[in-house]
Amino acid sequence: MLAAETIAVSAPQVDGPDLYWAERRPAERGRTAIVRRRSDGTVEDAVPEGFNARTRVHEYGGVPYLAARGILLASEFADQRVYRLDGGAPRAITPEPAGAAEDRYADLVLHGSYVIAVRERHGGGEPVNELVSFPVDGSAAPRVIASGHDFYASPRCSPDGASLAWLTWDHPRMPWEGTELWVADLATDGTLRRPRLVAGGPRESVFQPEWSPAGELHWVSDATGWWNLYRDGTPVAPMEAEIGVPQWMFGMRSYAFLGDGRIVAAVTEDGRQRLVVIDGGALRQVTCSHDTVLPFLASSNRRVWTVAGDAATPLGIVGLDVDTGEATVARRNFAVALDDGYFSRPATIQAPTTGGAVTHAFYYAPQHPEYVGPDGERPPLLVISHGGPTAATHTDLSLQIQFWTTRGFGVVDVNYRGSAGYGRAYREALEGAWGIVDTDDCIAAARHLADRGMVDGGRMAIRGGSAGGYTTLCALAFHDVFAAGASYYGVADLASLAEHTHKFESRYLDSLVGPLPDAADVYAARSPLLHADGISCPVLLLQGADDEVVPPAQAEVMVAALAARGVPHAYLLFEGESHGFRRAENVVAALGTELAFYGQVLGFTPEGDVPELVLDA
């Protein structure tokens, strides 16, 4: 179910009577298709078989397509060119670059007969990001209309076509640290005049500029310490909750305009989401059973389409009438083919942690309708440290988590300090402290559960991917709490990461750790690779061979260090995978191996068909 029978839906868009969305399919070698739902409910692929809609701008990409005015455009993963897909075979409308996939496009928007987009050019030195425009028929090459900043995002045309808004930021900032909102006059040929700064700055994160149907510019800003909505510089329904999210990907939308001018927004509070309607200054919650609403909102009259789910319902493309609460489900990530008794529900916990602070987490107890643990035995615990680190975990139905809870594990999914959704002060608690407070918080959550007798404090393991893999390795290198750890494409050496990672994150560590070369000693002090002598428990490392974010060298040097110390370990390298595993066979192999690994270390024999695993020492 978790691999071959599960998809990942995202990015709904409404074009006239038709609804579109992106659909990642592990069973099709991880490709992303664009799907169309007609007004009569008919669902069909809008791209031909084999077309992989995925942009690699910033490596993480984001929404890879645009459906507007009967036109469908999408980036193809293989060559990163933009293709037009309405009416016949796919036709490239951007030129073939000098080198393979060197020109990449994201955040597509239509302006008359032109497309405006973010372009990222590779081919020597640091990639160059800029705004470009090009004819929608592909009759001319892209023309640069805005340049000079390190990063661009979110171009948005006003309803009358006379103005363009967009975001910029520069090294060493990340977009959740500080961005700038610009507006310029937009000519019919797609060029800009009189650019002017509207909002934002080094310590203000602006997210999702959007024009209302009446032509009023809106945006989300955390100037008050919370990502709230603004209209032409004035707060709209201020609250101590978040509408914005960290801008890891392109095309995210946390609010949308209804046909009558009201605004529907996804609000995060205490780690859970809800939909609200903002009418003037009044705010009303939309009737909705889901408590996870992802930042992909598209509206049609009084209906909003989004990606929503809850602890017992898979994420899916869901349309909600904001007045009646009537829901229409276009697609779920998977069909629930199991009895409800298989699924563990999350309990919100707050655990005291270092510095007199509190960390947030969700705990999932072991759950199976046919099996219970041995009498008098507390379950082993699996601690999950999410990636980012400026990101967050949610409470939607995760088959990854249920994979473990149905096998007798308790799972605690930690929103450590630095996570989004709890205000800017909570995010900034990780500044200069990466590898310390995130690790402390994962340990605090584990001890909180062990001290209360909910789990076996002697059989606790920690796992995580990317930044979560780094937290995992830090927990093993600098603390003696866990019996095992699994790092998925995790960071082992901070200095090497700063030198070799992609442009988007190349200066991320300036705020998380400190600027180089002044903080070189801090980088060394917090790199698990240089403190592998502190690791005494078995370690599993899993890595994608094509990872440009955390290159395979990070795992390989860690493997060498563990081998030199005689620490039991295993290393799996997956060809054809980048940052995150997409192919069904690799997802199955990784989780099966991880289960076999914990079985060896924690002293149980897993049921079912699991891979044989020999730990090297």
Side-chain angles (χ1 to χ4, degrees):
M1 282 184 68
L2 191 150
E5 298 179 27
T6 300
I7 59 174
V9 296
S10 66
Q13 295 183 21
V14 175
D15 183 29
D18 296 334
L19 171 70
Y20 293 79
W21 64 85
E23 190 168 292
R24 192 176 76 227
R25 299 170 176 171
E28 297 180 22
R29 301 182 65 80
R31 83 166 178 119
T32 297
I34 307 302
V35 181
R36 176 174 51 232
R37 181 181 186 269
R38 302 285 193 182
S39 57
D40 62 3
T42 303
V43 175
E44 61 193 2
D45 281 6
V47 297
E49 183 177 354
F51 190 95
N52 188 4
R54 182 178 166 197
T55 172
R56 287 185 57 191
V57 179
H58 294 177
E59 294 301 334
Y60 295 109
V63 179
Y65 79 102
L66 173 68
R69 302 198 328 243
I71 295 171
L72 178 61
L73 309 174
S75 291
E76 220 296 336
F77 178 69
D79 60 12
Q80 288 297 289
R81 299 170 75 185
V82 177
Y83 285 78
R84 186 163 174 174
L85 295 132
D86 52 285
R91 179 166 57 89
I93 60 171
T94 55
E96 185 174 357
E102 285 187 350
D103 290 354
R104 307 170 183 182
Y105 301 85
D107 251 353
L108 310 177
V109 62
L110 277 181
H111 168 61
S113 60
Y114 286 85
V115 181
I116 296 174
V118 176
R119 183 177 68 182
E120 182 175 84
R121 306 203 81 174
H122 295 247
E126 185 174 75
V128 175
N129 295 66
E130 52 208 356
L131 288 183
V132 298
S133 67
F134 51 90
V136 73
D137 62 5
S139 59
R143 172 172 45 185
V144 177
I145 60 173
S147 62
H149 289 280
D150 291 320
F151 300 99
Y152 289 81
S154 307
R156 300 287 188 266
C157 295
S158 61
D160 60 5
S163 301
L164 183 76
W166 70 94
L167 298 176
T168 67
W169 65 96
D170 295 292
H171 287 316
R173 285 175 283 154
M174 299 299 288
W176 45 85
E177 295 170 353
T179 54
E180 295 176 335
L181 172 60
W182 296 82
V183 173
D185 299 336
L186 179 59
T188 55
D189 64 355
T191 57
L192 301 176
R193 295 190 301 268
R194 295 195 316 116
R196 48 207 181 269
L197 181 64
V198 173
R203 302 297 295 180
E204 179 187 355
S205 175
V206 176
F207 170 80
Q208 194 194 339
E210 210 78 62
W211 301 89
S212 73
E216 298 172 308
L217 183 59
H218 291 63
W219 63 86
V220 173
S221 168
D222 68 352
T224 65
W226 300 87
W227 267 316
N228 278 195
L229 186 64
Y230 287 74
R231 178 192 299 115
D232 288 334
T234 302
V236 179
M239 63 188 83
E240 289 192 355
E242 307 253 76
I243 292 178
V245 295
Q247 201 168 184
W248 282 103
M249 299 187 301
F250 290 96
M252 294 186 293
R253 283 179 159 90
S254 289
Y255 67 96
F257 296 98
L258 300 169
D260 57 8
R262 292 179 296 168
I263 300 169
V264 60
V267 175
T268 301
E269 187 173 12
D270 293 330
R272 298 177 186 263
Q273 290 81 42
R274 67 182 192 275
L275 281 172
V276 301
V277 170
I278 302 172
D279 189 358
L283 186 148
R284 175 181 60 81
Q285 186 164 328
V286 176
T287 301
C288 176
S289 62
H290 301 321
D291 60 9
T292 296
V293 181
L294 300 189
F296 297 108
L297 270 63
S299 63
S300 175
N301 295 323
R302 68 182 193 185
R303 182 177 295 275
V304 61
W305 290 94
T306 186
V307 180
D310 55 58
T313 309
L315 288 173
I317 302 293
V318 179
L320 288 163
D321 185 310
V322 301
D323 293 324
T324 67
E326 178 189 359
T328 301
V329 179
R331 183 88 94 200
R332 292 286 185 192
N333 278 352
F334 60 92
V336 179
L338 294 175
D339 181 272
D340 188 64
Y342 281 95
F343 298 134
S344 176
R345 268 50 169 197
T348 300
I349 67 170
Q350 295 183 349
T353 186
T354 53
V358 171
T359 192
H360 302 271
F362 302 111
Y363 176 64
Y364 299 79
Q367 178 74 26
H368 197 291
E370 299 172 13
Y371 296 91
V372 295
D375 288 341
E377 187 172 329
R378 290 172 293 178
L381 177 69
L382 193 56
V383 177
I384 299 179
S385 53
H386 67 69
T390 310
T393 187
H394 303 298
T395 57
D396 54 289
L397 178 56
S398 165
L399 290 188
Q400 285 252 4
I401 290 176
Q402 306 300 330
F403 176 88
W404 300 110
T405 56
T406 55
R407 285 157 175 81
F409 284 82
V411 175
V412 64
D413 205 1
V414 186
N415 272 330
Y416 48 76
R417 283 170 289 175
S419 301
Y422 301 89
R424 181 159 188 141
Y426 195 78
R427 291 202 315 273
E428 290 182 340
L430 198 60
E431 287 191 359
W434 191 34
I436 297 177
V437 303
D438 50 316
T439 307
D440 288 346
D441 289 3
C442 286
I443 292 171
R447 284 179 168 160
H448 176 83
L449 295 167
D451 290 346
R452 282 154 181 76
M454 300 168 67
V455 300
D456 184 347
R459 291 191 297 172
M460 301 193 300
I462 184 169
R463 75 189 299 267
S466 191
Y470 170 68
T471 301
T472 294
L473 293 175
C474 284
L476 303 184
F478 302 117
H479 303 270
D480 188 19
V481 175
F482 297 106
S487 169
Y488 281 72
Y489 35 89
V491 176
D493 181 12
L494 292 177
S496 176
L497 178 70
E499 181 180 357
H500 296 295
T501 195
H502 57 143
K503 177 186 177 182
F504 178 62
E505 292 184 83
S506 62
R507 301 291 300 279
Y508 191 12
L509 300 191
D510 282 33
S511 61
L512 291 176
V513 183
L516 289 171
D518 295 346
D521 290 346
V522 181
Y523 280 62
R526 296 205 203 143
S527 292
L529 173 67
L530 304 182
H531 300 274
D533 57 352
I535 300 178
S536 57
C537 68
V539 183
L540 176 64
L541 300 105
L542 307 100
Q543 178 71 45
D546 300 335
D547 196 336
E548 297 286 344
V549 178
V550 179
Q554 288 278 332
E556 290 160 2
V557 294
M558 197 70 207
V559 168
L562 295 172
R565 293 239 338 42
V567 177
H569 65 278
Y571 175 47
L572 274 69
L573 180 68
F574 294 98
E575 299 294 336
E577 295 285 11
S578 54
H579 199 63
F581 301 160
R582 291 170 172 261
R583 300 181 181 182
E585 64 273 19
N586 294 337
V587 174
V588 170
L591 281 172
T593 300
E594 190 179 353
L595 177 60
F597 171 69
Y598 295 138
Q600 286 194 36
V601 176
L602 301 181
F604 65 88
T605 301
E607 292 286 345
D609 184 17
V610 298
E612 291 186 11
L613 178 66
V614 177
L615 295 177
D616 297 321

